[in-house]
Amino acid sequence: MTTSVASPQSERRSVAEIAVSLLPYLLAGMAFGFIAVKSEILAWYRIQEMFRFQSFHMYGVIGSAVLVGATSIQLIKRFNIKSWDGQDITIQDKDRTWLRYILGGTFFGLGWGLIGACPGPMLALIGAGLPAFLIALVGAILGTRVYGMVMNRLPHG
Amino acid sequence: MGIHELLSSPWPWYVAGPLIGLTVPLLLLLGNKVFGISSNLRHVCAILPNRIPFFNYNWWQAGGWNLVFAGGIMLGAFLAAGWFGNPEPLAVNPATEQDLAAIGVSVDGGFAPEAFFSLAALGSIKTWLILLGGGFLVGFGARYAGGCTSGHAISGLSNLQLPSLVAVIGFFIGGLIMTHLLLPIIL
């Protein structure tokens, strides 16, 4: 009997390889979740302070994150740095249309102001022991699905 | 100050912001990935049975890493809240506390008002409508706008994308309308 290419052993190894390749993303996500709790950016009250312009905290977090992110991207572009696995780093530009950003953004903001959580903090809240936000997550998945169903009838230009 | 005490106290913006900003180059350097959490909502829709072209793509190839990242967020938050939680109740600016009191919301020391966001509150249909409706708007709006706070406000602005700035302005238009006009009616 000839041995098949996909022997159980090679399959098992490839599963292990996949797990190893995904581990850094798990750790990066854990760091984000940890920071979201420690900096209290997942708190409904912090979002209320932000939308009432009564605290600098959220502006400081987002502003300094953008400063560090922008500096890093400039350095990566300037020195043509490749990714760990040897890929060229290419960041796709956003489509230069406008209506979708202002309209979609406004819908998003209405939800953000109501439940005080955007998608990342929503996940962090569930992990931090507020399971009621699972219902918000279900709502977010539903909203995404409905967008996919009606997107062709929405103005994007 | 011991290390546990340092980890347990709330982190100021100038510690948390730069660390979150580092997520952008970290994901780019790990595998040319762009930081954006709401894409996971689309990946979940692609996993669920559907006949919608927008969700017909290889979700594992496009977003397997991101779903793992999302799982990591829950795990990291679990560790932070369980072992390194701030022992003090959440402090809120007195002006905000006063404004919220005026619309019947009290500051109770947790991350979100227990009156609306705790398991006990799920006995009320209003809680369900707030959570489902708010979540719906977040999911619908994020995909319509092509990104959320991470994809536009952090990744997009970091890459100097004008469309992302427009999206962030939209986030604020919606957030200000909700906070100042609608919350007093809804809550």
Side-chain angles (χ1 to χ4, degrees):
Chain A
M1 199 173 82
T2 56
T3 53
S4 67
V5 178
S7 70
Q9 204 176 357
S10 74
E11 239 172 48
R12 206 177 304 138
R13 193 172 62 223
S14 73
V15 167
E17 276 169 9
I18 290 168
V20 168
S21 71
L22 289 175
L23 186 65
Y25 299 107
L26 182 75
L27 295 174
M30 285 175 69
F32 180 85
F34 198 96
I35 298 163
V37 170
K38 292 315 306 173
S39 61
E40 299 171 341
I41 59 166
L42 79 176
W44 185 89
Y45 296 103
R46 291 279 170 272
I47 304 305
Q48 278 297 303
E49 287 174 341
M50 174 180 79
F51 284 135
R52 293 172 191 276
F53 304 104
Q54 289 163 339
S55 164
F56 181 71
H57 188 75
M58 290 303 302
Y59 297 99
V61 168
I62 296 174
S64 59
V66 170
L67 201 67
V68 169
T71 309
S72 313
I73 289 178
Q74 288 310 311
L75 289 172
I76 286 171
K77 284 181 175 170
R78 176 78 54 88
F79 296 104
N80 232 334
I81 299 171
K82 290 197 191 321
S83 70
W84 177 251
D85 54 353
Q87 298 179 64
D88 283 322
I89 289 177
T90 49
I91 314 170
Q92 224 186 344
D93 284 338
K94 305 276 183 193
D95 298 335
R96 293 182 78 82
T97 56
W98 308 105
L99 270 179
R100 67 173 302 181
Y101 300 111
I102 200 78
L103 294 176
T106 302
F107 278 116
F108 179 89
L110 287 167
W112 195 13
L114 180 56
I115 59 173
C118 44
M122 214 183 269
L123 297 170
L125 282 161
I126 295 165
L130 283 87
F133 279 92
L134 268 170
I135 297 162
L137 184 62
V138 170
I141 293 166
L142 269 173
T144 304
R145 187 175 165 109
V146 169
Y147 171 74
M149 290 161 64
V150 303
M151 59 186 290
N152 292 331
R153 277 174 276 167
L154 296 172
H156 282 73
Chain B
M1 196 186 237
I3 183 81
H4 191 269
E5 204 182 334
L6 200 70
L7 287 172
S8 298
S9 53
W11 294 359
W13 63 265
Y14 51 82
V15 172
L19 287 174
I20 291 172
L22 284 176
T23 311
V24 172
L26 178 66
L27 293 177
L28 286 171
L29 293 174
L30 277 174
N32 196 22
K33 310 290 190 221
V34 176
F35 179 39
I37 295 165
S38 68
S39 296
N40 287 309
L41 300 168
R42 185 180 176 191
H43 301 324
V44 171
C45 290
I47 294 170
L48 296 171
N50 73 85
R51 290 185 178 187
I52 305 162
F54 189 59
F55 302 121
N56 186 8
Y57 61 92
N58 185 337
W59 59 268
W60 174 252
Q61 203 161 15
W65 72 273
N66 208 348
L67 290 164
V68 170
F69 183 85
I73 294 177
M74 288 198 256
L75 196 57
F78 175 75
L79 292 175
W83 283 272
F84 301 97
N86 178 16
E88 307 294 325
L90 188 97
V92 176
N93 185 305
T96 310
E97 188 164 358
Q98 209 175 342
D99 285 358
L100 290 175
I103 58 170
V105 179
S106 55
V107 173
D108 56 25
F111 291 134
E114 281 200 10
F116 301 102
F117 300 107
S118 65
L119 283 183
L122 293 181
S124 148
I125 189 112
K126 191 164 144 185
T127 300
W128 284 82
L129 291 176
I130 289 173
L131 286 166
L132 270 178
F136 185 95
L137 286 164
V138 165
F140 180 87
R143 216 64 277 123
Y144 192 1
C148 60
T149 322
S150 51
H152 276 309
I154 297 181
S155 289
L157 291 185
S158 288
N159 197 29
L160 313 178
Q161 298 289 303
L162 201 55
S164 291
L165 184 63
V166 176
V168 173
I169 291 169
F171 297 169
F172 268 82
I173 293 173
L176 292 174
I177 292 173
M178 178 54 70
T179 299
H180 298 278
L181 302 178
L182 301 179
L183 273 190
I185 303 168
I186 296 172
L187 297 183

Coordinates of all heavy atoms in Angstrom, one line a residue, chain A residues 22-34 36 118-128 134 137 141, chain B residues 23 27 34-44 47 60 63-78 148 150:
Chain A
L22 N -0.1 31.0 15.0 CA -1.2 31.9 15.5 C -0.9 32.4 16.9 O -1.5 33.4 17.4 CB -2.5 31.2 15.5 CG -3.1 31.0 14.1 CD1 -4.3 30.2 14.1 CD2 -3.3 32.3 13.4
L23 N 0.0 31.7 17.6 CA 0.3 32.1 19.0 C 0.6 33.6 19.2 O 0.1 34.2 20.2 CB 1.4 31.2 19.6 CG 1.7 31.4 21.1 CD1 0.4 30.9 21.9 CD2 2.9 30.6 21.5
P24 N 1.4 34.2 18.4 CA 1.7 35.6 18.6 C 0.5 36.5 18.5 O 0.4 37.5 19.3 CB 2.7 36.0 17.4 CG 3.3 34.7 17.0 CD 2.2 33.6 17.3
Y25 N -0.5 36.1 17.7 CA -1.7 36.9 17.6 C -2.6 36.8 18.9 O -3.2 37.7 19.3 CB -2.5 36.5 16.3 CG -1.7 36.8 15.1 CD1 -1.2 35.7 14.3 CD2 -1.5 38.1 14.7 CE1 -0.5 36.0 13.2 CE2 -0.7 38.3 13.5 CZ -0.2 37.3 12.8 OH 0.5 37.5 11.7
L26 N -2.5 35.6 19.4 CA -3.2 35.3 20.7 C -2.6 36.2 21.8 O -3.3 36.9 22.5 CB -3.1 33.9 21.1 CG -3.9 33.5 22.4 CD1 -5.4 33.5 22.2 CD2 -3.4 32.2 23.0
L27 N -1.3 36.3 21.8 CA -0.6 37.1 22.8 C -0.8 38.6 22.6 O -1.1 39.3 23.6 CB 0.9 36.7 22.8 CG 1.3 35.3 23.2 CD1 2.8 35.1 23.1 CD2 0.9 35.0 24.7
A28 N -0.8 39.0 21.4 CA -1.1 40.4 21.1 C -2.5 40.8 21.5 O -2.7 41.8 22.1 CB -0.9 40.7 19.6
G29 N -3.4 39.9 21.2 CA -4.8 40.1 21.6 C -4.9 40.2 23.1 O -5.6 41.1 23.7
M30 N -4.2 39.3 23.8 CA -4.2 39.3 25.3 C -3.7 40.6 25.8 O -4.2 41.2 26.8 CB -3.4 38.1 25.8 CG -4.1 36.8 25.7 SD -3.1 35.4 26.2 CE -3.0 35.7 28.0
A31 N -2.6 41.1 25.2 CA -2.1 42.4 25.7 C -3.1 43.5 25.5 O -3.3 44.3 26.4 CB -0.8 42.7 24.9
F32 N -3.8 43.5 24.4 CA -4.8 44.5 24.1 C -5.9 44.4 25.2 O -6.3 45.5 25.7 CB -5.4 44.4 22.7 CG -6.4 45.5 22.4 CD1 -6.0 46.7 22.0 CD2 -7.8 45.2 22.6 CE1 -7.0 47.7 21.8 CE2 -8.7 46.2 22.4 CZ -8.3 47.5 22.0
G33 N -6.4 43.2 25.4 CA -7.5 43.0 26.4 C -7.0 43.5 27.8 O -7.8 44.1 28.5
F34 N -5.8 43.1 28.1 CA -5.2 43.5 29.4 C -5.2 45.0 29.6 O -5.7 45.6 30.6 CB -3.8 42.9 29.6 CG -3.3 42.9 31.0 CD1 -3.5 41.7 31.7 CD2 -2.7 44.0 31.6 CE1 -3.0 41.6 33.1 CE2 -2.3 43.9 32.9 CZ -2.4 42.7 33.6
A36 N -6.9 47.2 27.8 CA -8.3 47.8 27.8 C -8.9 47.8 29.2 O -9.6 48.8 29.6 CB -9.2 47.0 26.9
C118 N -17.1 49.9 21.8 CA -16.9 49.5 20.4 C -16.5 48.0 20.4 O -16.4 47.4 21.4 CB -15.9 50.5 19.8 SG -14.4 50.8 20.8
P119 N -16.2 47.4 19.2 CA -16.0 46.0 19.2 C -15.0 45.4 20.1 O -15.2 44.4 20.8 CB -15.8 45.7 17.7 CG -16.5 46.8 17.0 CD -16.4 48.0 17.8
G120 N -13.8 46.0 20.1 CA -12.7 45.5 21.0 C -13.1 45.5 22.5 O -13.1 44.5 23.1
P121 N -13.4 46.7 23.0 CA -13.9 46.7 24.4 C -15.1 45.8 24.7 O -15.2 45.4 25.8 CB -14.2 48.2 24.6 CG -13.2 48.9 23.7 CD -13.2 48.0 22.5
M122 N -16.0 45.6 23.7 CA -17.1 44.7 23.9 C -16.6 43.3 24.3 O -17.1 42.7 25.2 CB -17.9 44.6 22.6 CG -19.4 44.5 22.7 SD -20.0 44.3 21.0 CE -20.4 46.0 20.6
L123 N -15.6 42.9 23.5 CA -15.0 41.6 23.8 C -14.3 41.6 25.2 O -14.4 40.7 26.0 CB -14.0 41.2 22.8 CG -14.5 41.0 21.3 CD1 -13.4 40.9 20.3 CD2 -15.4 39.8 21.3
A124 N -13.6 42.7 25.5 CA -12.9 42.8 26.8 C -13.9 42.8 27.9 O -13.7 42.2 29.0 CB -12.1 44.1 26.8
L125 N -15.1 43.5 27.8 CA -16.1 43.5 28.8 C -16.6 42.1 29.1 O -16.8 41.7 30.3 CB -17.2 44.4 28.4 CG -16.9 45.9 28.6 CD1 -17.9 46.7 27.8 CD2 -17.0 46.3 30.1
I126 N -16.8 41.3 28.0 CA -17.3 39.9 28.2 C -16.2 39.1 29.0 O -16.5 38.5 30.0 CB -17.6 39.3 26.9 CG1 -18.7 40.0 26.2 CG2 -17.9 37.8 27.0 CD1 -18.9 39.7 24.7
G127 N -15.0 39.3 28.6 CA -13.9 38.6 29.3 C -13.7 39.1 30.8 O -13.4 38.3 31.7
A128 N -14.0 40.4 31.0 CA -13.8 41.0 32.3 C -14.9 40.6 33.3 O -15.0 41.1 34.4 CB -13.6 42.5 32.2
L134 N -22.5 40.0 25.9 CA -22.7 39.0 24.8 C -23.9 39.3 24.0 O -23.9 39.1 22.8 CB -22.9 37.6 25.5 CG -21.6 36.8 25.7 CD1 -22.0 35.6 26.6 CD2 -21.0 36.3 24.4
L137 N -22.9 41.8 21.5 CA -22.1 41.2 20.5 C -23.0 40.5 19.5 O -22.7 40.6 18.3 CB -21.1 40.2 21.2 CG -20.1 39.5 20.2 CD1 -19.2 40.5 19.6 CD2 -19.3 38.4 21.0
I141 N -23.2 41.4 15.5 CA -23.1 40.4 14.4 C -24.4 40.5 13.5 O -24.3 40.5 12.3 CB -23.0 38.9 15.0 CG1 -21.6 38.8 15.7 CG2 -23.1 37.9 13.9 CD1 -21.5 37.6 16.6
Chain B
T23 N 0.4 48.2 18.9 CA -0.3 47.1 18.2 C -0.2 47.2 16.7 O -0.2 46.2 16.0 CB -1.8 47.0 18.7 OG1 -1.9 47.2 20.1 CG2 -2.5 45.8 18.2
L27 N 1.4 44.0 14.6 CA 0.7 43.2 13.7 C 1.2 43.3 12.2 O 1.3 42.2 11.5 CB -0.8 43.5 13.7 CG -1.5 43.2 15.0 CD1 -3.0 43.7 14.9 CD2 -1.5 41.7 15.4
V34 N -3.3 44.2 9.4 CA -3.8 45.5 9.8 C -4.7 45.4 11.0 O -5.7 44.6 11.0 CB -4.5 46.2 8.6 CG1 -5.0 47.6 9.1 CG2 -3.5 46.4 7.5
F35 N -4.4 46.1 12.0 CA -5.2 46.2 13.3 C -6.6 46.7 13.0 O -6.8 47.8 12.6 CB -4.5 47.1 14.3 CG -5.2 47.3 15.6 CD1 -5.8 46.2 16.3 CD2 -5.1 48.5 16.3 CE1 -6.3 46.4 17.5 CE2 -5.7 48.7 17.5 CZ -6.3 47.6 18.1
G36 N -7.6 45.8 13.2 CA -9.0 46.2 13.0 C -9.9 45.1 13.5 O -9.9 44.0 13.0
I37 N -10.6 45.4 14.6 CA -11.3 44.4 15.3 C -12.7 44.0 14.7 O -13.1 42.9 14.7 CB -11.4 44.7 16.8 CG1 -10.0 44.8 17.4 CG2 -12.3 43.7 17.5 CD1 -9.9 45.5 18.7
S38 N -13.4 45.1 14.1 CA -14.7 44.8 13.6 C -14.8 43.8 12.4 O -15.8 43.2 12.1 CB -15.5 46.1 13.3 OG -14.9 46.7 12.2
S39 N -13.6 43.6 11.7 CA -13.6 42.7 10.7 C -14.0 41.3 11.2 O -14.6 40.5 10.4 CB -12.2 42.6 10.0 OG -11.9 43.8 9.5
N40 N -13.8 41.0 12.5 CA -14.1 39.7 13.0 C -15.6 39.5 13.0 O -16.1 38.3 12.9 CB -13.6 39.6 14.5 CG -12.1 39.4 14.5 OD1 -11.6 38.6 13.8 ND2 -11.5 40.3 15.3
L41 N -16.4 40.6 13.1 CA -17.9 40.4 13.0 C -18.3 39.9 11.6 O -19.1 39.1 11.5 CB -18.6 41.8 13.3 CG -18.3 42.4 14.7 CD1 -18.7 43.8 14.7 CD2 -18.9 41.6 15.8
R42 N -17.5 40.4 10.6 CA -17.8 39.9 9.2 C -17.4 38.5 9.1 O -18.1 37.6 8.5 CB -17.0 40.8 8.2 CG -17.3 40.4 6.8 CD -16.6 41.3 5.8 NE -16.8 40.9 4.4 CZ -16.1 41.3 3.4 NH1 -15.2 42.2 3.6 NH2 -16.4 40.9 2.2
H43 N -16.2 38.1 9.7 CA -15.8 36.7 9.6 C -16.8 35.8 10.3 O -17.0 34.7 9.8 CB -14.4 36.6 10.3 CG -13.3 37.4 9.7 ND1 -13.3 37.7 8.3 CD2 -12.3 38.1 10.2 CE1 -12.2 38.5 8.1 NE2 -11.6 38.7 9.2
V44 N -17.4 36.2 11.4 CA -18.4 35.4 12.1 C -19.6 35.2 11.1 O -20.1 34.1 11.0 CB -18.8 36.0 13.4 CG1 -20.0 35.2 14.0 CG2 -17.7 36.0 14.4
I47 N -18.7 32.6 8.7 CA -18.7 31.3 9.2 C -20.2 30.8 9.3 O -20.5 29.6 8.9 CB -18.1 31.3 10.6 CG1 -16.6 31.6 10.6 CG2 -18.4 29.9 11.3 CD1 -16.0 31.8 11.9
W60 N -11.2 31.8 7.0 CA -10.0 31.3 7.8 C -8.7 31.9 7.3 O -7.9 32.4 8.0 CB -9.9 29.8 7.7 CG -8.7 29.3 8.4 CD1 -7.6 28.7 7.8 CD2 -8.4 29.3 9.8 NE1 -6.6 28.4 8.7 CE2 -7.1 28.7 9.9 CE3 -9.1 29.7 10.9 CZ2 -6.5 28.6 11.2 CZ3 -8.4 29.6 12.2 CH2 -7.2 29.0 12.3
G63 N -9.1 35.9 7.9 CA -9.2 36.4 9.3 C -9.0 35.4 10.4 O -9.3 35.7 11.6
G64 N -8.4 34.2 10.1 CA -8.2 33.3 11.2 C -7.3 33.9 12.3 O -7.6 33.8 13.5
W65 N -6.3 34.7 11.9 CA -5.4 35.3 12.8 C -6.2 36.3 13.7 O -5.9 36.5 14.9 CB -4.3 36.1 12.1 CG -4.7 37.3 11.4 CD1 -5.2 37.3 10.1 CD2 -4.8 38.6 11.9 NE1 -5.6 38.6 9.8 CE2 -5.4 39.4 10.9 CE3 -4.5 39.2 13.1 CZ2 -5.6 40.8 11.0 CZ3 -4.7 40.6 13.3 CH2 -5.3 41.4 12.2
N66 N -7.1 37.0 13.1 CA -7.9 38.1 13.7 C -8.9 37.5 14.7 O -9.1 38.1 15.8 CB -8.6 39.0 12.7 CG -8.8 40.4 13.1 OD1 -8.6 40.7 14.3 ND2 -9.2 41.2 12.2
L67 N -9.5 36.4 14.4 CA -10.4 35.7 15.3 C -9.6 35.2 16.6 O -10.1 35.3 17.7 CB -11.1 34.6 14.6 CG -12.1 35.0 13.6 CD1 -12.5 33.8 12.7 CD2 -13.4 35.6 14.3
V68 N -8.4 34.8 16.3 CA -7.5 34.4 17.5 C -7.2 35.6 18.3 O -7.2 35.6 19.5 CB -6.2 33.7 16.9 CG1 -5.2 33.5 18.0 CG2 -6.6 32.3 16.3
F69 N -6.9 36.7 17.6 CA -6.6 38.0 18.3 C -7.8 38.4 19.2 O -7.6 38.7 20.3 CB -6.3 39.1 17.3 CG -5.9 40.4 17.8 CD1 -4.6 40.7 18.2 CD2 -6.9 41.4 18.0 CE1 -4.3 42.0 18.7 CE2 -6.5 42.7 18.5 CZ -5.2 42.9 18.8
A70 N -9.0 38.2 18.6 CA -10.2 38.6 19.4 C -10.4 37.7 20.6 O -10.8 38.1 21.7 CB -11.4 38.4 18.4
G71 N -10.1 36.4 20.4 CA -10.2 35.5 21.6 C -9.2 35.9 22.6 O -9.4 35.9 23.8
G72 N -8.0 36.4 22.2 CA -7.0 36.8 23.1 C -7.4 38.0 23.9 O -7.1 38.2 25.1
I73 N -8.2 38.9 23.3 CA -8.7 40.1 24.0 C -9.6 39.7 25.2 O -9.4 40.2 26.3 CB -9.6 41.0 23.0 CG1 -8.7 41.6 21.9 CG2 -10.3 42.1 23.8 CD1 -9.5 42.4 20.9
M74 N -10.4 38.7 25.0 CA -11.3 38.2 26.1 C -10.4 37.6 27.2 O -10.7 37.8 28.4 CB -12.3 37.2 25.5 CG -13.4 37.8 24.7 SD -14.8 36.8 24.5 CE -14.6 36.2 22.9
L75 N -9.4 36.8 26.8 CA -8.6 36.1 27.7 C -7.7 37.2 28.5 O -7.6 37.1 29.8 CB -7.7 35.2 27.0 CG -6.9 34.1 27.8 CD1 -8.0 33.2 28.5 CD2 -6.1 33.2 26.8
G76 N -7.2 38.1 27.8 CA -6.4 39.2 28.5 C -7.2 40.0 29.5 O -6.7 40.3 30.6
A77 N -8.4 40.3 29.1 CA -9.3 41.1 29.9 C -9.7 40.2 31.1 O -9.8 40.8 32.3 CB -10.6 41.5 29.1
F78 N -9.9 39.0 30.9 CA -10.2 38.0 32.0 C -9.1 38.0 33.1 O -9.3 38.1 34.3 CB -10.5 36.6 31.4 CG -10.7 35.6 32.5 CD1 -11.9 35.5 33.1 CD2 -9.7 34.6 32.7 CE1 -12.1 34.5 34.1 CE2 -9.9 33.6 33.7 CZ -11.1 33.6 34.4
C148 N -13.9 50.2 12.6 CA -14.4 50.8 13.8 C -13.3 51.6 14.5 O -12.5 52.2 13.7 CB -14.8 49.6 14.8 SG -13.4 48.5 15.2
S150 N -10.7 50.8 16.1 CA -9.3 50.3 15.9 C -9.0 50.5 14.4 O -7.9 51.0 14.1 CB -9.2 48.9 16.3 OG -10.2 48.1 15.8

